[in-house]
Amino acid sequence: MKLLLIGGHMAPALGFLSAVPHGTDVVYVGRQHVFEADEGESLEQKTIRERGLRFIAFRSGRVQRRLSRQTIPSLLKIPKGFVQALQILKKEKPDIVIGFGGYLSVPLGIAAKMLGIPLLIHESTLRAGLANKVLAAFADCICISWESSRPYFPQKKITLTGNPLLPFVSSRTHLPLPESKEKLPLIMVTGGSGGSHVVNAIILQILPELLEKAKVVHQTGDAHAFGDYKKLLAKKKMLPRKLQQRYSVVQFIHPEIINTVFAKADLVIGRSGINTVASLLVLRKKAILIPLLVGQKNEQLNNAKLMESEGLATILDQKSLSAKILFTTIQDMLSHKTIETAKWQIPVITHGAEHMMKEVLRCVSSHNGK
């Protein structure tokens, strides 16, 4: 059997791959660069190639929610992207196309329907992303991670599989932890695979004071436009040796080990993408979440509120965020060793990858039996 995966939400795609039987032919179609107007290599391309899987770089336009200098050029790429999608599928001839949301999945998903190839889409968010809403009419099978997504899709196509989480490993091998062995709390700072310039810039301001109280592992991302990694690395080199040993700054944390780093952290600071939130819920980790301002119907804010409802997170508004506010919040969160208000009521379906793989096999079998 040959699977063609479309990059969108990378974390569930990689989690799903952990359940794919050995010897299965897999090709991954995704973004070559971090952002649409940035030349930094995408983490998904880097990760997929490290796994020894074939990666096909794919570009397509999208409908942007905010007018910018990229709006018109992006729209002009849509027809070309659709033609490329047809070419890829005709050449690869997969048994099934599997989409994980994101604008790249739209032309490939529609092309799959036109060519008679079964299409399965996975929704990792609490509701439904725009791309998956569009593809719902074309999909043969729809996997959802949360019951709250059910109203957004045709009921007869839905299977609740849960979110295919990335694996947890117990070894410290290759973990980007600080050198220091001091018994200090460990803070993990992350803006997701692309990084967050807003978060990075504020950490830069408070880094020396922060390292007086904790050890920090910091994933900056690799967006060339801001150069955050280089700035923070230079800041580290200016610090006293003791503080340098308490700080680990990296561009990427490999998806295979990021949940293990989450598990070792006493506090996580970052955005509130659904895959980060799902992992933190499973691990019952304290977090300071700074939702992205741009998103579908406040998607990241809703994710953060899910964590907050469990007593696990403090939400900070990016519009009013300052170095002082973040530092004060960190101090407050670290001073509470346990979270007495945690309700432990959010159901998180485990073994999502295995459930989804069963649905893939069922979807192919059902399509072939038509």
Side-chain angles (χ1 to χ4, degrees), residues 29 31 57 153 160 171 175 249 259 286 312 325 345 349 369:
V29 180
R31 294 181 301 172
F153 300 111
L160 178 65
S171 172
L175 295 184
V249 56
N259 278 341
K286 293 190 294 184
L312 293 169
I325 289 173
Q345 293 179 348
I349 297 176

Side-chain angles (χ1 to χ4, degrees), residues 154-193:
Q155 297 302 302
K156 64 181 181 180
K157 297 182 180 181
I158 296 174
T159 302
L160 178 65
T161 59
N163 204 348
L165 294 177
L166 290 161
F168 295 82
V169 296
S170 57
S171 172
R172 286 178 58 92
T173 305
H174 305 308
L175 295 184
L177 301 178
E179 296 176 48
S180 175
K181 305 301 180 185
E182 298 170 275
K183 291 185 178 180
L184 291 170
L186 177 65
I187 297 173
M188 180 182 180
V189 181
T190 175
S193 60

